[in-house]
């Protein structure tokens, strides 16, 4: 049994959650074409669609919102954010952006040219899209353990260092404008990256004179895993670990909707003065002036507070502990999940959960519908609806894995809510033989998972 990790907060404002009947849920999911993206949130009891921008802000952050200084230039909230960025990341030069992809669009708009190659442990989908939009090639170089759903490696998000060396040798330094590492590695399940691996990645890139950037969305969760799992870091503070990580970086992008503990916002930082000047110019063109970057100044204040709160060890123990707790309760019920769980989500393995449903009938999508019908839980399919396609001959190509992601919003649900989630999933698992596959009856040619519609078979 997992040890109870006390929620390190009490609740001052509450928001009612919809509690529905099975008959109502059956109507909602049918009307949505069995696609959870098409459900209104008023139909959803526990919403685990994403941890992005779904955070509950603290009383300090809300107080900060009231202290917004809405000056166009040089707002005091901007200077507060500057202090916090300097203290946590050790960066003097940064700009706010409207969210993570705003930072990516500005950075790659400057550095990435047609035919360039950009290595990353694994590109997040907006990162890949922004690289490819510039005509560059996004290469993922995660270690093989990262792709194995039952391998319990402590740092499954690591960069494959030998593969990075080979890529540089084959591509040539002139065609690699930067190298990146994403912490935690979202696309392989929020798996952490070891500090040793970050240091080694920096050393390889530095030896070739290639700038090293970090995608820092979940850096605080990554710091906590380093403290728990990596030899030599048990007695370091989260801030000390963060300072070491970012001391190796020439710059970073960040979606503040994750470890910034805000509902909207992002950051882009760079050490090179010439590059930073280009960043400022481009920012003004697309995001906004350098002291607000597309955000209200009150949002900058909430972000400055949120960045500080996210490095609190008690918060991180609760945060990562919640994910581990849900995973453990599911394993106790015999439910197949990806192991070990990462920092922000638990992934159900639908191929093992529903072995009677072939990939042609979308087992992970069928499972999202079953979880909703049983208990109003919204998870998201990461399988053949999202990644499947047809090849040149028109034959269907399926995803390697059929997963359902249960992403946990920050500070939103209590352990009691997670007990409810575990009970609902266990109930679906007991009746798994009755879950039926789906037929796709409508799909757009790209990003079909958002709008596809289905019928039960
Ligand atoms: C969310 C995310 C992004 C993009 O950020 P947005 O705020 O959604 O634009 C980039 N990289 C990673 C690793 C992410 O998780």
């Amino acid at each position: 049994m997992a040890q109870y990790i006390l929620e390190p907060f009490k609740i001052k404002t509450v928001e009612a959650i919809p509690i529905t009947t099975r008959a109502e849920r059956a109507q909602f999911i049918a009307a949505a074409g069995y696609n959870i993206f098409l459900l209104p949130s008023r139909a959803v009891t526990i919403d685990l669609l994403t941890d992005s921008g779904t955070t509950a802000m603290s009383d300090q952050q809300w107080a900060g919102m009231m202290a917004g200084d809405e000056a166009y230039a040089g707002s005091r909230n901007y200077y507060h954010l500057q202090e916090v960025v300097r203290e946590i990341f050790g960066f003097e030069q940064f700009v706010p952006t409207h969210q993570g992809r705003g930072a990516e669009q500005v950075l790659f708009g400057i550095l990435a040219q047609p035919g360039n190659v950009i290595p990353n442990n694994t590109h997040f989908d907006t990162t890949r899209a922004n690289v490819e939009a510039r005509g560059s090639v996004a290469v993922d170089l995660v270690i093989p353990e990262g792709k194995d759903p039952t391998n319990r490696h402590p740092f499954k998000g690591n960069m494959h260092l030998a593969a990075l060396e080979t890529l540089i040798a084959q591509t040539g330094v002139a065609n690699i404008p930067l190298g990146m590492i994403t912490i935690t590695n979202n696309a392989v399940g929020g798996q952490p990256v070891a500090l040793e691996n970050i240091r080694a990645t920096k050393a390889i890139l530095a030896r070739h004179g290639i700038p090293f950037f970090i995608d820092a969305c979940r850096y605080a969760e990554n710091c906590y895993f380093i403290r728990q799992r990596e030899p030599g870091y048990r007695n370091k503070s989260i801030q000390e670990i963060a300072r070491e990580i970012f001391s190796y970086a020439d710059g970073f992008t960040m979606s503040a909707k994750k470890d910034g503990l805000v509902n909207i916002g992002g950051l882009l930082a760079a050490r090179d003065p010439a590059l930073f000047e280009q960043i400022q110019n481009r920012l003004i063109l697309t995001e906004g002036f350098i002291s607000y970057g597309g955000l209200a100044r009150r949002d900058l204040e909430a972000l400055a507070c949120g960045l500080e709160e996210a490095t609190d060890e008690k918060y991180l123990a609760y945060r990562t502990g919640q994910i581990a707790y849900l995973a453990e309760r599911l394993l106790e019920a015999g439910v197949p999940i990806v192991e070990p769980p990462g920092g922000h989500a638990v992934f159900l393995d639908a191929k093992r959960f529903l072995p009677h449903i072939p990939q042609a009938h979308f087992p992970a999508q069928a499972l999202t519908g079953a979880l909703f019908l049983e208990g109003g839980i919204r998870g998201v399919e990461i399988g053949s609806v999202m990644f499947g396609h047809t090849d040149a001959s028109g034959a269907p190509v399926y995803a390697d894995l059929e997963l359902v992601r249960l992403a946990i919003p920050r500070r939103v649900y209590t352990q009691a809510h997670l007990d409810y989630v575990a009970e609902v999933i266990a109930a679906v698992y007991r009746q798994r033989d009755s879950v039926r596959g789906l037929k796709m009856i409508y799909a757009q040619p790209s990003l079909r998972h958002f709008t596809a519609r289905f019928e039960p078979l």
Side-chain angles (χ1 to χ4, degrees):
M1 226 1 230
Q3 192 202 341
Y4 189 98
I5 297 170
L6 192 66
E7 285 83 4
F9 51 80
K10 60 182 177 176
I11 296 164
K12 176 144 41 189
T13 301
V14 296
E15 176 185 343
I17 55 177
I19 295 178
T20 54
T21 63
R22 176 179 282 265
E24 288 168 334
R25 294 193 292 273
Q27 263 181 2
F28 274 124
I29 194 73
Y34 296 86
N35 183 347
I36 55 84
F37 281 107
L38 302 177
L39 286 171
S41 68
R42 68 187 158 82
V44 180
T45 304
I46 304 283
D47 203 345
L48 307 182
L49 175 57
T50 178
D51 66 321
S52 176
T54 52
T55 299
M57 293 210 297
S58 68
D59 53 351
Q60 294 302 309
Q61 287 178 291
W62 280 109
M65 296 286 275
M66 286 307 292
D69 161 17
E70 301 301 332
Y72 189 96
S75 154
R76 69 170 170 266
N77 311 116
Y78 168 75
Y79 292 116
H80 182 197
L81 181 60
Q82 186 175 53
E83 263 171 51
V84 173
V85 168
R86 188 182 291 136
E87 173 194 312
I88 295 179
F89 303 102
F91 269 77
E92 295 295 327
Q93 304 182 125
F94 83 100
V95 287
T97 61
H98 83 281
Q99 58 184 79
R101 68 199 71 181
E104 292 167 352
Q105 184 264 127
V106 169
L107 181 68
F108 297 126
I110 297 164
L111 289 184
Q113 306 302 331
N116 282 173
V117 171
I118 297 175
N120 199 320
N121 50 349
T122 314
H123 290 82
F124 179 66
D125 53 13
T126 61
T127 322
R128 169 173 291 275
N130 271 296
V131 167
E132 290 174 353
R134 298 288 302 166
S136 299
V137 181
V139 179
D140 294 337
L141 299 175
V142 71
I143 56 170
E145 291 88 337
K147 295 182 193 161
D148 172 358
T150 57
N151 190 307
R152 296 195 65 97
H153 190 290
F155 291 102
K156 282 173 91 168
N158 277 356
M159 177 77 86
H160 192 316
L161 299 169
L164 178 62
E165 292 273 23
T166 307
L167 180 87
I168 296 171
Q170 286 172 352
T171 310
V173 171
N175 283 319
I176 306 179
L178 75 161
M180 286 189 91
I181 210 161
T182 303
I183 57 172
T184 57
N185 192 335
N186 185 2
V188 303
Q191 296 291 339
V193 179
L195 229 166
E196 184 193 23
N197 188 259
I198 294 171
R199 205 182 294 122
T201 300
K202 165 68 178 182
I204 292 171
L205 293 172
R207 190 151 26 82
H208 296 282
I210 300 169
F212 173 49
F213 275 66
I214 294 178
D215 178 336
C217 294
R218 296 180 182 79
Y219 81 95
E221 291 165 11
N222 202 101
C223 288
Y224 191 76
F225 283 117
I226 287 172
R227 193 174 185 283
Q228 297 304 103
R229 298 181 183 174
E230 189 161 346
Y233 289 93
R234 194 38 84 96
N235 297 320
K236 300 257 194 243
S237 72
I238 297 300
Q239 296 228 0
E240 282 171 320
I241 296 171
R243 281 298 283 265
E244 182 179 346
I245 292 175
F246 288 94
S247 73
Y248 302 125
D250 297 299
F252 70 90
T253 59
M254 178 172 181
S255 168
K257 298 168 73 176
K258 285 78 175 228
D259 280 351
L261 298 182
V262 289
N263 304 119
I264 195 74
L267 294 172
L268 171 57
R271 292 198 203 276
D272 175 20
L275 172 61
F276 189 65
E277 197 179 320
Q278 285 178 285
I279 287 174
Q280 288 179 307
N281 291 337
R282 206 172 165 96
L283 188 88
I284 293 169
L285 204 61
T286 60
E287 294 280 300
F289 187 61
I290 53 171
S291 63
Y292 73 88
L295 297 171
R297 273 57 69 197
R298 54 182 175 272
D299 293 332
L300 304 181
E301 189 61 29
L303 175 54
C305 296
L307 286 168
E308 298 266 25
E309 290 174 9
T311 60
D312 175 24
E313 220 152 278
K314 295 189 184 73
Y315 156 74
L316 287 168
Y318 145 81
R319 168 73 182 150
T320 54
Q322 267 207 329
I323 317 294
Y325 174 79
L326 177 60
E328 198 159 319
R329 283 222 46 186
L330 293 171
L331 287 170
E332 277 164 17
V335 174
I337 63 168
V338 175
E339 293 184 69
H344 68 283
V346 173
F347 292 73
L348 306 178
D349 185 346
K351 271 191 191 168
R352 286 186 285 149
F353 197 117
L354 301 171
H356 59 289
I357 302 182
Q359 284 192 282
H361 300 160
F362 305 113
Q365 188 75 19
L367 186 52
T368 62
L371 301 185
F372 178 76
L373 189 62
E374 183 66 25
I377 295 168
R378 173 154 67 177
V380 64
E381 193 254 20
I382 308 221
S384 290
V385 177
M386 190 176 275
F387 297 123
H389 55 274
T390 46
D391 68 13
S393 72
V397 178
Y398 301 113
D400 292 342
L401 299 175
E402 297 288 347
L403 305 177
V404 172
R405 185 184 75 178
L406 307 168
I408 312 295
R410 293 169 180 78
R411 303 192 293 207
V412 170
Y413 295 118
T414 63
Q415 180 158 317
H417 286 117
L418 297 185
D419 282 337
Y420 171 80
V421 170
E423 280 163 22
V424 168
I425 295 171
V428 174
Y429 190 60
R430 284 193 297 274
Q431 316 148 36
R432 57 191 178 278
D433 294 343
S434 66
V435 177
R436 288 178 294 163
L438 296 169
K439 179 177 174 208
M440 194 183 275
I441 55 170
Y442 167 76
Q444 286 184 332
S446 82
L447 296 174
R448 63 182 184 172
H449 54 286
F450 290 121
T451 53
R453 299 182 73 88
F454 304 84
E455 265 174 6
L457 285 160

